[in-house]
């Protein structure tokens, strides 16, 4: 019995909180928020006495929302501004959708008044169709005007409007063709190339890898990067990777000698006391203990080392006026390091992690060209980061 009482109290508390939230939405002018809260509260046991507040609030919120929307539509029509057409169309849709969200709950009883709640529904089909057609014509005509200009931002605005037009009115006139035209005209094309300002030869493989923008994933709706210029395209921007300096260290072999010692178990021995006498247990038997001995190894370590540093800068050029937009530093370092070792003595004195060096031998140093090329992956990642963080158009 107690569990039932607690459960009922819990449901009363939940309903009370929901009604309070719905009433607050209504009094603050958030009529659609109040309507949604009331609908959610009435989905289960809509005719229960505890749900009556929801019914009253829903009736009031619906009437106020409808009156407000129709008043706004009337004001927009009087203003006769084409920019209001989208709001008119959307509001008629909202009026209709609001009705459809309530319809499944009807009828809703007001028990004390002995009547059903009143929701004066209207058929907005003609208004929705006419406002959609008016908005479609406006979007179409305005997009055609924008496409006749010479401004890329106008082309992009036209594209967005045409996409929206195609969503609300699929198949309208030649919208699909105009969308392709707007996309083509609104796209910025960037020519990407390298310059070598060092006194060294840049590996062709490195240049090709840096300019392989197909692996960068940088192209977006409005920006396309080309490392190979195409004749039929007027490029808006240039991205130049200027190699400034390449430093390559000499090939070095650093030698180091050191000694390792360790105590290891070497069988057992008889325990002696401080006087050299055998220590025995309670039964008279000699006590045996582990015997340890010290082992030692001389290690001769060899570390091969070679490094390269590549410094460059990335220039953003506006081809429309041949002006430098911005410059970003670009640098990378690649280190070749190989360690091997020999020993004299008992290698068990070494840490286990060091033993692998004894299985290695000297290896050929990479060529200067290979060293520069091996810096490419880091350069490419840093170049991509520069481009991602710094768009040509802000």
């Amino acid at each position: 019995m107690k569990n039932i009482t607690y459960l009922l109290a819990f449901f009363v508390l939940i309903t009370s909180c929901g009604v309070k939230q719905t009433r607050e939405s209504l009094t603050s002018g958030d009529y659609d928020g109040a309507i949604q809260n009331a609908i959610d509260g009435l989905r289960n046991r809509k005719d229960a006495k505890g749900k009556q507040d929801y019914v009253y609030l829903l009736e009031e919120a619906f009437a106020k929302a409808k009156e407000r929307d129709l008043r706004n539509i009337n004001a927009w029509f009087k203003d006769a501004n084409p920019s209001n057409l989208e709001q008119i169309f959307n509001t008629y849709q909202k009026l209709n959708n609001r009705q459809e969200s309530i319809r499944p709950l009807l009828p809703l009883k007001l028990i004390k008044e002995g009547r059903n709640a009143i929701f004066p529904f209207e058929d907005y089909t003609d208004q929705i169709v006419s406002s959609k057609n008016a908005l479609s014509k406006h979007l179409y005509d305005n997009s055609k005007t924008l496409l006749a200009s010479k401004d890329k931002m106008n082309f992009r605005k036209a594209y967005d409007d045409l996409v929206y037009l195609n969503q609300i009115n699929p198949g309208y006139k030649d919208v699909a063709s105009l969308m392709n035209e707007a996309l083509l005209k609104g796209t910025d094309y960037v020519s990407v190339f390298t310059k070598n300002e060092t006194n060294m030869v840049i590996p062709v493989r490195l240049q090709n890898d840096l300019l392989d923008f197909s692996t960068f994933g940088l192209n977006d709706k409005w920006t396309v990067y080309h490392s190979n210029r195409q004749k039929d395209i007027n490029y808006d921007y240039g991205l130049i990777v200027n190699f400034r300096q390449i430093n390559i260290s000499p090939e070095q072999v650093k030698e180091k000698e050191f000694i390792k010692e360790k105590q290891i178990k070497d069988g057992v021995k008889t325990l002696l006391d401080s006087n050299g006498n055998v220590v025995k247990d309670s039964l008279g038997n000699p006590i045996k203990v582990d015997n340890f001995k010290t082992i030692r190894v001389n290690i001769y370590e060899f570390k091969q080392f070679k490094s390269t540093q590549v410094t460059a800068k990335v220039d953003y050029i506006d081809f429309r006026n041949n002006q430098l937009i911005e410059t970003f530093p670009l640098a990378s370092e690649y280190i070749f390091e190989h360690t091997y070792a020999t020993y004299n003595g008992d290698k068990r004195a070494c840490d286990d992690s060091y033993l692998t060096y004894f299985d290695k031998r000297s290896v050929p140093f990479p060529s200067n060209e290979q060293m520069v090329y091996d810096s490419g992956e880091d350069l490419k990642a840093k170049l991509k980061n520069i481009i991602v963080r710094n768009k040509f158009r802000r």
Side-chain angles (χ1 to χ4, degrees), residues 76-147:
W76 290 327
F77 270 120
K78 288 181 179 179
D79 185 36
N81 189 330
S83 63
N84 294 328
L85 291 173
E86 183 177 350
Q87 296 185 89
I88 293 172
F89 170 64
N90 288 337
T91 304
Y92 274 127
Q93 282 192 309
K94 184 163 64 173
L95 284 162
N96 183 70
N97 293 339
R98 188 183 295 133
Q99 293 180 166
E100 295 307 311
S101 65
I102 295 174
R103 197 183 299 276
L105 297 173
L106 300 182
L108 289 170
K109 298 177 181 178
L110 291 171
I111 300 173
K112 288 184 179 180
E113 299 185 26
R115 66 175 178 89
N116 290 332
I118 299 173
F119 299 96
F121 287 176
E122 309 286 347
D123 183 358
Y124 295 107
T125 305
D126 290 341
Q127 291 92 329
I128 291 174
V129 171
S130 62
S131 61
K132 180 181 71 174
N133 289 337
L135 175 59
S136 298
K137 183 179 185 306
H138 168 66
L139 290 171
Y140 182 85
D141 292 342
N142 189 60
S143 296
K144 294 271 283 187
T145 300
L146 292 173
L147 286 172

Coordinates of all heavy atoms in Angstrom, one line a residue, residues 76-147:
W76 N 2.8 41.2 -42.7 CA 3.8 41.0 -43.8 C 3.1 41.2 -45.1 O 3.8 41.8 -46.0 CB 4.3 39.6 -43.7 CG 5.2 39.3 -42.5 CD1 6.0 40.2 -41.9 CD2 5.3 38.2 -41.7 NE1 6.6 39.7 -40.8 CE2 6.2 38.4 -40.6 CE3 4.7 36.9 -41.7 CZ2 6.5 37.4 -39.7 CZ3 5.0 35.9 -40.8 CH2 5.9 36.2 -39.8
F77 N 1.9 40.9 -45.3 CA 1.2 41.1 -46.6 C 1.1 42.6 -46.8 O 1.3 43.1 -47.9 CB -0.2 40.5 -46.6 CG -0.2 39.0 -47.1 CD1 -0.6 38.0 -46.3 CD2 0.3 38.8 -48.4 CE1 -0.6 36.7 -46.8 CE2 0.3 37.5 -48.9 CZ -0.1 36.4 -48.1
K78 N 0.7 43.4 -45.8 CA 0.6 44.8 -45.9 C 1.9 45.5 -46.3 O 2.0 46.4 -47.0 CB 0.0 45.4 -44.6 CG -1.5 45.1 -44.4 CD -2.0 45.7 -43.2 CE -3.5 45.4 -43.0 NZ -4.0 46.0 -41.7
D79 N 3.0 44.9 -45.7 CA 4.3 45.5 -45.9 C 4.8 45.3 -47.4 O 5.5 46.1 -48.0 CB 5.3 44.8 -45.0 CG 6.7 45.4 -45.1 OD1 6.8 46.7 -45.3 OD2 7.7 44.7 -45.0
A80 N 4.3 44.2 -48.0 CA 4.6 43.9 -49.4 C 6.1 43.8 -49.7 O 6.5 44.2 -50.8 CB 3.9 44.9 -50.3
N81 N 6.9 43.4 -48.8 CA 8.3 43.2 -49.0 C 8.6 41.8 -49.4 O 8.2 40.9 -48.6 CB 9.1 43.6 -47.7 CG 10.6 43.7 -47.9 OD1 11.1 43.0 -48.8 ND2 11.2 44.6 -47.2
P82 N 9.2 41.6 -50.5 CA 9.5 40.2 -50.9 C 10.3 39.4 -49.9 O 10.2 38.1 -49.9 CB 10.3 40.3 -52.2 CG 10.0 41.7 -52.7 CD 9.7 42.5 -51.5
S83 N 11.1 40.1 -49.1 CA 11.9 39.3 -48.0 C 11.0 38.7 -47.0 O 11.4 37.8 -46.2 CB 12.8 40.3 -47.4 OG 12.1 41.3 -46.7
N84 N 9.7 39.1 -47.0 CA 8.8 38.5 -46.0 C 8.1 37.2 -46.5 O 7.4 36.5 -45.8 CB 7.6 39.5 -45.7 CG 8.1 40.7 -44.9 OD1 9.1 40.6 -44.1 ND2 7.5 41.8 -45.1
L85 N 8.3 36.9 -47.8 CA 7.7 35.7 -48.4 C 8.0 34.4 -47.7 O 7.2 33.5 -47.5 CB 8.0 35.6 -49.9 CG 7.4 36.7 -50.7 CD1 7.9 36.6 -52.2 CD2 5.9 36.6 -50.7
E86 N 9.3 34.3 -47.3 CA 9.7 33.0 -46.6 C 9.0 32.9 -45.3 O 8.6 31.8 -44.9 CB 11.2 33.0 -46.4 CG 11.7 31.7 -45.8 CD 13.2 31.6 -45.7 OE1 13.9 32.5 -46.3 OE2 13.8 30.7 -45.1
Q87 N 8.9 34.0 -44.5 CA 8.2 34.0 -43.2 C 6.8 33.7 -43.4 O 6.2 32.9 -42.6 CB 8.4 35.3 -42.5 CG 9.9 35.7 -42.2 CD 10.0 37.0 -41.4 OE1 9.9 36.9 -40.1 NE2 10.1 38.1 -42.0
I88 N 6.1 34.2 -44.4 CA 4.7 33.9 -44.6 C 4.5 32.4 -44.9 O 3.7 31.8 -44.3 CB 4.2 34.7 -45.8 CG1 4.2 36.2 -45.4 CG2 2.8 34.3 -46.2 CD1 3.8 37.2 -46.6
F89 N 5.4 31.9 -45.8 CA 5.3 30.4 -46.1 C 5.5 29.6 -44.9 O 4.8 28.6 -44.6 CB 6.3 30.1 -47.2 CG 6.4 28.6 -47.5 CD1 5.4 27.9 -48.0 CD2 7.7 28.0 -47.3 CE1 5.5 26.5 -48.2 CE2 7.8 26.7 -47.5 CZ 6.8 25.9 -48.0
N90 N 6.6 29.9 -44.2 CA 6.9 29.1 -43.0 C 5.8 29.2 -41.9 O 5.5 28.2 -41.2 CB 8.2 29.5 -42.4 CG 9.4 29.1 -43.2 OD1 9.3 28.2 -44.0 ND2 10.5 29.9 -43.1
T91 N 5.2 30.3 -41.8 CA 4.2 30.5 -40.7 C 2.9 29.7 -41.1 O 2.3 29.2 -40.2 CB 3.9 32.0 -40.5 OG1 5.1 32.7 -40.2 CG2 2.9 32.2 -39.4
Y92 N 2.5 29.7 -42.4 CA 1.4 28.9 -42.8 C 1.6 27.5 -42.5 O 0.8 26.7 -42.1 CB 1.0 29.2 -44.2 CG 0.1 30.3 -44.5 CD1 0.5 31.3 -45.4 CD2 -1.1 30.5 -43.8 CE1 -0.4 32.4 -45.6 CE2 -1.9 31.6 -44.0 CZ -1.6 32.5 -45.0 OH -2.4 33.6 -45.2
Q93 N 2.9 27.0 -42.8 CA 3.2 25.6 -42.5 C 3.1 25.3 -41.0 O 2.7 24.3 -40.6 CB 4.6 25.3 -43.0 CG 4.7 25.1 -44.5 CD 6.1 24.5 -44.9 OE1 7.1 25.0 -44.5 NE2 6.1 23.5 -45.7
K94 N 3.6 26.3 -40.2 CA 3.6 26.1 -38.8 C 2.1 26.1 -38.2 O 1.8 25.3 -37.4 CB 4.3 27.3 -38.1 CG 4.4 27.1 -36.6 CD 5.5 28.0 -36.0 CE 5.2 29.5 -36.2 NZ 6.2 30.4 -35.5
L95 N 1.2 26.9 -38.8 CA -0.2 26.8 -38.4 C -0.8 25.5 -38.7 O -1.5 24.9 -37.9 CB -1.0 27.9 -39.2 CG -0.8 29.4 -38.7 CD1 -1.3 30.3 -39.8 CD2 -1.6 29.6 -37.4
N96 N -0.4 24.9 -39.8 CA -1.0 23.6 -40.2 C -0.3 22.5 -39.3 O -1.0 21.6 -38.9 CB -0.7 23.3 -41.7 CG -1.2 22.0 -42.2 OD1 -2.4 21.9 -42.3 ND2 -0.4 21.1 -42.4
N97 N 1.0 22.6 -39.2 CA 1.7 21.5 -38.4 C 1.2 21.5 -36.9 O 1.1 20.5 -36.3 CB 3.2 21.7 -38.4 CG 3.8 21.5 -39.8 OD1 3.2 20.8 -40.6 ND2 4.9 22.1 -40.1
R98 N 0.9 22.7 -36.4 CA 0.4 22.8 -35.0 C -0.9 22.1 -34.9 O -1.2 21.3 -33.9 CB 0.3 24.3 -34.6 CG 0.0 24.5 -33.2 CD -0.2 26.0 -32.9 NE 1.0 26.7 -33.2 CZ 1.1 27.9 -33.9 NH1 0.0 28.4 -34.5 NH2 2.3 28.5 -34.0
Q99 N -1.8 22.3 -35.8 CA -3.1 21.6 -35.8 C -2.9 20.1 -35.9 O -3.6 19.3 -35.2 CB -4.0 22.0 -37.0 CG -4.4 23.5 -36.9 CD -5.2 23.9 -38.1 OE1 -5.9 24.9 -38.1 NE2 -5.3 23.1 -39.2
E100 N -2.0 19.6 -36.8 CA -1.8 18.2 -37.0 C -1.2 17.5 -35.7 O -1.4 16.3 -35.5 CB -0.9 17.9 -38.2 CG -1.5 18.3 -39.5 CD -2.9 17.7 -39.7 OE1 -3.1 16.5 -39.5 OE2 -3.9 18.5 -40.0
S101 N -0.5 18.3 -34.9 CA 0.1 17.7 -33.7 C -0.9 17.5 -32.6 O -0.8 16.7 -31.7 CB 1.3 18.6 -33.2 OG 0.8 19.8 -32.8
I102 N -2.0 18.3 -32.7 CA -3.1 18.3 -31.7 C -4.1 17.3 -32.1 O -4.8 16.6 -31.2 CB -3.7 19.7 -31.4 CG1 -2.6 20.6 -30.8 CG2 -4.9 19.6 -30.5 CD1 -3.1 22.0 -30.7
R103 N -4.4 17.2 -33.4 CA -5.5 16.4 -33.9 C -5.6 14.9 -33.3 O -6.7 14.5 -33.0 CB -5.4 16.3 -35.4 CG -6.7 15.9 -36.1 CD -6.6 15.8 -37.6 NE -6.2 17.1 -38.2 CZ -7.0 18.0 -38.6 NH1 -8.3 17.8 -38.3 NH2 -6.6 19.1 -39.1
P104 N -4.5 14.2 -33.2 CA -4.6 12.8 -32.6 C -5.2 12.8 -31.2 O -5.6 11.7 -30.8 CB -3.2 12.3 -32.7 CG -2.5 13.1 -33.7 CD -3.1 14.5 -33.6
L105 N -5.1 13.9 -30.5 CA -5.5 13.9 -29.1 C -7.0 14.1 -28.9 O -7.6 13.9 -27.8 CB -4.8 14.9 -28.3 CG -3.3 14.7 -28.1 CD1 -2.6 15.9 -27.4 CD2 -2.9 13.5 -27.3
L106 N -7.7 14.7 -30.0 CA -9.1 15.1 -29.9 C -10.0 13.9 -29.8 O -9.7 12.8 -30.4 CB -9.4 16.0 -31.1 CG -8.6 17.3 -31.2 CD1 -9.0 18.1 -32.4 CD2 -8.6 18.1 -29.9
P107 N -11.1 14.0 -29.1 CA -11.5 15.2 -28.4 C -10.9 15.2 -27.0 O -10.5 14.2 -26.4 CB -13.1 15.0 -28.2 CG -13.2 13.5 -28.2 CD -12.2 13.0 -29.1
L108 N -10.7 16.4 -26.4 CA -10.2 16.6 -25.1 C -11.3 17.2 -24.2 O -11.8 18.3 -24.5 CB -9.0 17.5 -25.1 CG -7.7 17.0 -25.8 CD1 -6.7 18.0 -26.0 CD2 -7.2 15.8 -24.9
K109 N -11.7 16.5 -23.2 CA -12.8 16.9 -22.3 C -12.4 17.9 -21.3 O -11.3 17.8 -20.7 CB -13.4 15.7 -21.7 CG -14.0 14.7 -22.6 CD -14.5 13.5 -21.9 CE -15.1 12.4 -22.9 NZ -15.5 11.2 -22.1
L110 N -13.3 18.9 -21.0 CA -13.1 19.8 -19.9 C -14.3 19.4 -18.9 O -15.4 19.8 -19.1 CB -13.3 21.3 -20.3 CG -12.1 21.8 -21.1 CD1 -12.4 23.2 -21.7 CD2 -10.8 21.8 -20.3
I111 N -13.9 18.6 -17.9 CA -14.9 17.9 -17.1 C -15.8 18.9 -16.3 O -17.0 18.7 -16.3 CB -14.2 17.0 -16.1 CG1 -13.3 15.9 -16.9 CG2 -15.1 16.3 -15.2 CD1 -12.4 15.1 -16.0
K112 N -15.2 19.9 -15.7 CA -16.0 20.8 -14.9 C -17.0 21.6 -15.8 O -18.1 21.9 -15.3 CB -15.1 21.8 -14.2 CG -14.4 21.2 -13.0 CD -13.6 22.3 -12.3 CE -12.8 21.7 -11.1 NZ -12.0 22.7 -10.4
E113 N -16.6 21.9 -17.0 CA -17.5 22.7 -17.9 C -18.4 21.8 -18.7 O -19.3 22.3 -19.4 CB -16.7 23.6 -18.8 CG -15.8 24.6 -18.0 CD -15.1 25.6 -18.9 OE1 -15.6 25.8 -20.0 OE2 -14.0 26.1 -18.5
G114 N -18.2 20.5 -18.7 CA -19.1 19.6 -19.4 C -19.0 19.8 -20.9 O -20.0 19.7 -21.6
R115 N -17.8 20.1 -21.4 CA -17.6 20.4 -22.9 C -16.3 19.9 -23.3 O -15.4 19.6 -22.5 CB -17.8 21.8 -23.2 CG -16.7 22.7 -22.7 CD -16.8 24.2 -23.1 NE -15.8 25.0 -22.6 CZ -14.6 25.2 -23.1 NH1 -14.2 24.6 -24.2 NH2 -13.7 26.1 -22.5
N116 N -16.1 19.8 -24.6 CA -14.8 19.5 -25.2 C -14.0 20.8 -25.4 O -14.6 21.9 -25.7 CB -14.9 18.8 -26.5 CG -15.5 17.4 -26.3 OD1 -15.3 16.7 -25.3 ND2 -16.2 16.9 -27.4
A117 N -12.7 20.7 -25.2 CA -11.9 21.9 -25.5 C -12.0 22.3 -27.0 O -12.2 21.5 -27.9 CB -10.4 21.6 -25.2
I118 N -12.0 23.6 -27.2 CA -12.2 24.2 -28.6 C -10.9 24.5 -29.3 O -10.1 25.2 -28.8 CB -13.1 25.4 -28.5 CG1 -14.5 25.1 -27.9 CG2 -13.3 26.0 -29.9 CD1 -15.3 26.3 -27.6
F119 N -10.8 23.9 -30.4 CA -9.6 24.2 -31.3 C -10.1 24.4 -32.7 O -10.3 23.5 -33.5 CB -8.6 23.0 -31.3 CG -8.1 22.6 -29.9 CD1 -8.7 21.6 -29.2 CD2 -7.0 23.3 -29.4 CE1 -8.2 21.3 -27.9 CE2 -6.5 23.0 -28.1 CZ -7.1 22.0 -27.4
P120 N -10.3 25.7 -33.0 CA -10.9 26.0 -34.4 C -9.8 25.8 -35.5 O -9.0 26.7 -35.8 CB -11.3 27.5 -34.2 CG -10.4 28.0 -33.1 CD -10.2 26.9 -32.2
F121 N -9.8 24.6 -36.0 CA -8.9 24.3 -37.1 C -9.3 24.9 -38.4 O -10.5 25.1 -38.7 CB -8.8 22.8 -37.3 CG -8.1 22.1 -36.2 CD1 -8.0 20.7 -36.2 CD2 -7.5 22.8 -35.1 CE1 -7.3 20.0 -35.1 CE2 -6.8 22.1 -34.1 CZ -6.7 20.7 -34.1
E122 N -8.3 25.2 -39.3 CA -8.6 25.8 -40.6 C -7.8 24.9 -41.6 O -6.9 24.2 -41.3 CB -8.0 27.2 -40.7 CG -8.5 28.1 -39.6 CD -10.0 28.6 -39.7 OE1 -10.5 28.3 -40.8 OE2 -10.5 29.1 -38.7
D123 N -8.3 25.0 -42.9 CA -7.6 24.4 -44.0 C -6.7 25.4 -44.6 O -7.2 26.3 -45.3 CB -8.6 23.8 -45.0 CG -7.9 23.1 -46.1 OD1 -6.7 23.0 -46.1 OD2 -8.7 22.6 -47.0
Y124 N -5.4 25.2 -44.4 CA -4.4 26.2 -44.9 C -3.8 25.7 -46.2 O -2.8 26.3 -46.7 CB -3.3 26.4 -43.9 CG -3.8 27.0 -42.6 CD1 -3.9 26.3 -41.4 CD2 -4.1 28.4 -42.6 CE1 -4.3 26.9 -40.2 CE2 -4.6 29.0 -41.4 CZ -4.7 28.2 -40.2 OH -5.1 28.8 -39.1
T125 N -4.3 24.7 -46.9 CA -3.7 24.2 -48.1 C -3.5 25.2 -49.2 O -2.4 25.4 -49.7 CB -4.6 23.0 -48.7 OG1 -4.8 22.1 -47.6 CG2 -3.9 22.4 -49.9
D126 N -4.5 26.0 -49.5 CA -4.4 27.0 -50.5 C -3.4 28.1 -50.2 O -2.6 28.5 -51.0 CB -5.8 27.7 -50.8 CG -6.8 26.8 -51.4 OD1 -6.4 25.8 -52.0 OD2 -8.0 27.1 -51.3
Q127 N -3.4 28.5 -48.9 CA -2.4 29.5 -48.5 C -1.0 29.0 -48.5 O 0.0 29.7 -48.9 CB -2.7 30.0 -47.0 CG -4.0 30.8 -46.9 CD -5.2 29.9 -46.6 OE1 -5.2 28.7 -47.0 NE2 -6.1 30.4 -45.9
I128 N -0.8 27.7 -48.2 CA 0.6 27.1 -48.2 C 1.0 27.0 -49.7 O 2.2 27.4 -50.0 CB 0.6 25.7 -47.6 CG1 0.4 25.9 -46.0 CG2 1.9 25.0 -47.9 CD1 0.2 24.5 -45.3
V129 N 0.2 26.6 -50.5 CA 0.5 26.4 -52.0 C 0.8 27.8 -52.6 O 1.9 28.0 -53.3 CB -0.6 25.7 -52.8 CG1 -0.3 25.8 -54.2 CG2 -0.7 24.3 -52.3
S130 N 0.0 28.8 -52.3 CA 0.2 30.1 -53.0 C 1.4 30.8 -52.4 O 2.2 31.4 -53.2 CB -1.1 31.0 -52.7 OG -1.3 31.2 -51.4
S131 N 1.6 30.7 -51.1 CA 2.8 31.3 -50.5 C 4.1 30.6 -51.0 O 5.1 31.2 -51.2 CB 2.7 31.3 -49.0 OG 2.7 30.0 -48.4
K132 N 4.0 29.3 -51.1 CA 5.2 28.5 -51.6 C 5.5 28.9 -53.1 O 6.7 29.1 -53.4 CB 4.9 27.0 -51.6 CG 6.1 26.2 -52.1 CD 5.8 24.7 -52.1 CE 4.8 24.3 -53.1 NZ 4.6 22.8 -53.2
N133 N 4.5 29.1 -53.9 CA 4.7 29.5 -55.3 C 5.3 30.9 -55.4 O 6.2 31.2 -56.2 CB 3.4 29.4 -56.1 CG 3.0 28.0 -56.3 OD1 3.8 27.1 -56.3 ND2 1.7 27.8 -56.6
A134 N 4.8 31.8 -54.5 CA 5.3 33.2 -54.5 C 6.7 33.2 -54.0 O 7.6 33.9 -54.6 CB 4.4 34.1 -53.6
L135 N 7.0 32.4 -53.0 CA 8.4 32.4 -52.5 C 9.3 31.7 -53.5 O 10.5 32.2 -53.7 CB 8.5 31.6 -51.2 CG 9.9 31.3 -50.6 CD1 10.6 32.6 -50.3 CD2 9.7 30.4 -49.3
S136 N 8.9 30.7 -54.2 CA 9.7 30.0 -55.2 C 10.0 31.0 -56.4 O 11.2 31.0 -56.8 CB 8.9 28.8 -55.8 OG 8.7 27.9 -54.8
K137 N 9.0 31.8 -56.8 CA 9.3 32.7 -57.9 C 10.3 33.8 -57.4 O 11.2 34.2 -58.2 CB 8.0 33.4 -58.3 CG 8.1 34.4 -59.5 CD 6.8 35.0 -59.9 CE 7.0 35.9 -61.1 NZ 8.0 36.9 -61.0
H138 N 10.1 34.3 -56.2 CA 11.1 35.3 -55.7 C 12.5 34.7 -55.6 O 13.5 35.4 -56.1 CB 10.6 35.7 -54.3 CG 11.7 36.6 -53.6 ND1 12.1 37.8 -54.0 CD2 12.4 36.3 -52.5 CE1 13.0 38.3 -53.2 NE2 13.2 37.3 -52.2
L139 N 12.7 33.5 -55.1 CA 14.0 32.9 -55.0 C 14.6 32.7 -56.3 O 15.8 32.9 -56.5 CB 13.9 31.6 -54.2 CG 13.6 31.7 -52.7 CD1 13.3 30.3 -52.1 CD2 14.7 32.3 -51.9
Y140 N 13.8 32.2 -57.3 CA 14.3 31.9 -58.6 C 14.7 33.2 -59.3 O 15.8 33.3 -59.8 CB 13.2 31.3 -59.4 CG 13.6 30.9 -60.8 CD1 14.2 29.7 -61.1 CD2 13.3 31.8 -61.9 CE1 14.6 29.4 -62.4 CE2 13.7 31.4 -63.2 CZ 14.3 30.2 -63.4 OH 14.7 29.9 -64.7
D141 N 13.9 34.2 -59.3 CA 14.2 35.5 -59.9 C 15.4 36.2 -59.3 O 16.3 36.7 -60.0 CB 13.0 36.5 -59.9 CG 11.8 36.0 -60.7 OD1 12.1 35.1 -61.6 OD2 10.7 36.5 -60.5
N142 N 15.5 36.1 -58.0 CA 16.6 36.8 -57.3 C 17.9 36.0 -57.5 O 19.0 36.6 -57.7 CB 16.3 36.8 -55.8 CG 17.3 37.6 -55.0 OD1 17.5 38.8 -55.3 ND2 18.0 37.0 -54.1
S143 N 17.8 34.7 -57.6 CA 19.0 33.9 -57.9 C 19.5 34.2 -59.3 O 20.7 34.3 -59.6 CB 18.7 32.4 -57.8 OG 18.4 32.1 -56.5
K144 N 18.6 34.4 -60.3 CA 19.0 34.7 -61.6 C 19.7 36.1 -61.7 O 20.7 36.2 -62.4 CB 17.8 34.7 -62.6 CG 17.1 33.4 -62.7 CD 17.7 32.6 -63.9 CE 17.2 33.2 -65.2 NZ 17.6 32.3 -66.4
T145 N 19.2 37.0 -60.9 CA 19.8 38.3 -60.8 C 21.2 38.2 -60.2 O 22.2 38.8 -60.7 CB 19.0 39.3 -60.0 OG1 17.7 39.4 -60.6 CG2 19.6 40.7 -59.9
L146 N 21.4 37.4 -59.1 CA 22.7 37.3 -58.5 C 23.7 36.6 -59.4 O 24.9 36.9 -59.4 CB 22.5 36.4 -57.2 CG 21.8 37.1 -56.0 CD1 21.5 36.1 -54.9 CD2 22.5 38.3 -55.5
L147 N 23.2 35.6 -60.2 CA 24.1 34.9 -61.1 C 24.6 35.8 -62.3 O 25.6 35.5 -62.9 CB 23.4 33.7 -61.7 CG 23.3 32.5 -60.7 CD1 22.4 31.4 -61.3 CD2 24.6 32.0 -60.3

